[in-house]
Amino acid sequence: MDRDHPIDFTGRAVLVTGGTQGIGAAIARAFLAAGAQVMVCGRRAPASTPSAGGREAVFRAADVRDPAAAGALVVATAELFGHLDVLVNNAGGSPDADAATASPRFVEKVVALNLLAPFYTAQAANLVMREQPDGGSVTNIGSVSAHDPQRGTAAYSAAKAGLLGLTRALALEWAPKVRVNHITAGPVRPPTSTARPDAEDAAAADVIPMRRQAEPDDIARACLWLSSPLSRYVNGADLAVHGGGEIPARQLARTLFSSS
């Protein structure tokens, strides 16, 4: 582990769903850098798995929308590392779709990925963690859409709102052995964005108090804290990692009209 790292996960085992790219890969690298052993999953094998601190994450193909596959993934992780201390339910997302014309199949797939898959994986993880002396921690990666839906996100927003409710319910049922928390993530700049970062931040500065979009590492650091002993009494929490949220449209309108 990096001696300057503020949180030590040496000897800890971590599972990150959807951990092969984007936010998930950043989360996996953060835990690796902190000394953890990390398993990542996805439906297809990546060209390379996340690495940091001289270690590389282990990849296992799994579609966590399938409860049997989610359960097998958790069992394989616990068997490989000898235990499972941290689960980060990161897999999720959805393309925009008009609520009036979205097909039943589309809605089912979005809800399955963003709500049912975290439920299935958390259920399996709880079976392992509750038998361990130190229990475990589950962090669900949510979205500002759960609180403030945007056009084209009806199914996604509903699923993410459900994920927040699920977090609170599981935190109530599984404490004190297993803590369950939620991160409300704001807009995150894709690592491979084709737009210029300064142009993106200039646009974000108009609506986000922190004057920029989140970096994947911002979400990863929040996961480290929620999974560490530093947050040992934090359970059922919704940690906002959105730079202060978007400035309300009515406030922007007042600013616009007052300056005209």
Side-chain angles (χ1 to χ4, degrees), residues 108-209:
E108 289 169 1
K109 290 176 67 174
V110 171
V111 173
L113 178 60
N114 293 281
L115 177 57
L116 299 183
F119 199 165
Y120 298 148
T121 312
Q123 280 183 314
N126 175 61
L127 292 176
V128 174
M129 293 175 176
R130 71 185 185 185
E131 302 301 325
Q132 299 175 161
D134 295 329
S137 169
V138 177
T139 299
N140 294 320
I141 306 300
S143 168
V144 291
S145 293
H147 301 272
D148 298 301
Q150 303 296 317
R151 292 178 181 274
T153 69
Y156 178 74
S157 295
K160 287 301 189 183
L163 181 62
L164 177 55
L166 175 65
T167 299
R168 291 168 172 162
L170 298 183
L172 176 68
E173 292 191 28
W174 294 351
K177 290 303 289 288
V178 179
R179 296 186 299 113
V180 186
N181 291 294
H182 179 275
I183 289 176
T184 289
V188 179
R189 179 188 297 152
T192 57
S193 175
T194 56
R196 292 185 298 111
D198 56 343
E200 291 182 344
D201 284 344
D206 292 334
V207 293
I208 299 176

Side-chain angles (χ1 to χ4, degrees), residues 9 21 26 33 41-42 57 60 77 80-81 88 124 132 135 142 146 149 156 195 204 207 220 232 254 259:
F9 278 86
Q21 59 185 349
C41 75
R60 180 182 172 92
T77 304
L80 177 64
F81 299 139
V88 179
Q132 299 175 161
Y156 178 74
V207 293
R232 65 184 183 182
R254 283 200 301 269
S259 61

